[in-house]
Amino acid sequence: MPGDVRTRGLPLVLLLVACGGFEQESYDVVLDEADAQAVPYSCTDKTGKEDVTTTGTGGPSGLAPTQRWTVRADEFGATRLELPDVTFQNHLGEPIWFDEEAKEEDKRPDILEGTDSSKGPFQYINIRAIPLADNTGVVTYVLRVFIDNKSLEDDTLHGTISLRGTRDLGFGANAEEQEVCTSTVRFTGTRVR
């Protein structure tokens, strides 16, 4: 049948497959030493009549000072970031794990879903919700890696790793935000040849 969609679409599929594009890059990443040893944080207490914000520096981040990261192409032009098992300590020194089991460190890399590879900056996110000890609410942690580069194929990269923790009393539509804390560590990376 002339003009059949099945035959007209085939050249387009072959063209897209043949074009290639971003596949993967690995980087040796170094955390900012000062940030990693005394992680800058900001916490806002929302339980009073007015919000009260406190800033300071916490304990070690829990992150290895040097790491190997791999960015891989994913479906539909998106990318994902693989990095060593993340244990990020919050501003109170409590470890937060982001793996599936989330009980103790393991040797598998953590995988963060991210933006597409066409142009930067790039962002990768992992979310973990932990019920409060008395089961009256939840603390939600968002781990975010922000790469402030125009391309994932640059020889060097730089950006920040941040942890945002939100404590909510109650669940769902009835949840009331009690506290929001953020911690940030800067990094640089060199592409592995």
Side-chain angles (χ1 to χ4, degrees):
M1 162 192 290
D4 189 332
V5 171
R6 289 172 291 180
T7 57
R8 285 188 308 189
L10 183 60
L12 177 59
V13 170
L14 292 174
L15 177 64
L16 289 174
V17 170
C19 283
F22 178 82
E23 289 184 22
Q24 88 173 39
E25 291 292 343
S26 292
Y27 287 89
D28 285 332
V29 173
V30 178
L31 302 184
D32 180 271
E33 188 175 355
D35 282 0
Q37 291 305 310
V39 181
Y41 74 86
S42 173
C43 285
T44 303
D45 183 337
K46 300 184 169 213
T47 57
K49 290 183 180 180
E50 292 186 18
D51 294 353
V52 177
T53 299
T54 306
T55 59
T57 54
S61 66
L63 302 171
T66 59
Q67 311 174 27
R68 170 119 348 138
W69 293 0
T70 301
V71 181
R72 297 183 196 278
D74 208 351
E75 294 181 320
F76 310 114
T79 56
R80 58 190 168 116
L81 175 65
E82 296 177 10
L83 60 165
D85 188 44
V86 177
T87 306
F88 200 124
Q89 292 181 355
N90 66 14
H91 68 289
L92 301 173
E94 300 165 337
I96 310 301
W97 288 281
F98 283 88
D99 12 35
E100 288 274 329
E101 298 299 318
K103 293 181 181 174
E104 57 186 56
E105 295 180 73
D106 61 36
K107 301 300 178 196
R108 296 172 298 169
D110 283 351
I111 298 173
L112 283 68
E113 302 299 324
T115 51
D116 72 47
S117 62
S118 61
K119 62 179 180 174
F122 306 93
Q123 176 173 259
Y124 299 89
I125 302 283
N126 197 338
I127 300 172
R128 172 106 198 280
I130 302 172
L132 294 174
D134 57 4
N135 207 26
T136 58
V138 67
V139 179
T140 304
Y141 289 101
V142 177
L143 178 69
R144 175 182 179 247
V145 175
F146 180 79
I147 299 174
D148 191 19
N149 282 60
K150 292 182 179 178
S151 170
L152 288 171
E153 297 171 303
D154 290 346
D155 288 335
T156 60
L157 56 79
H158 49 86
T160 56
I161 304 171
S162 61
L163 180 70
R164 177 185 164 99
T166 306
R167 187 182 73 225
D168 292 328
L169 193 61
F171 299 96
N174 297 324
E176 181 181 325
E177 198 172 71
Q178 301 281 300
E179 182 181 53
V180 177
C181 292
T182 57
S183 303
T184 304
V185 177
R186 293 170 293 167
F187 68 82
T188 55
T190 305
R191 186 165 62 151
V192 177
R193 296 280 184 184

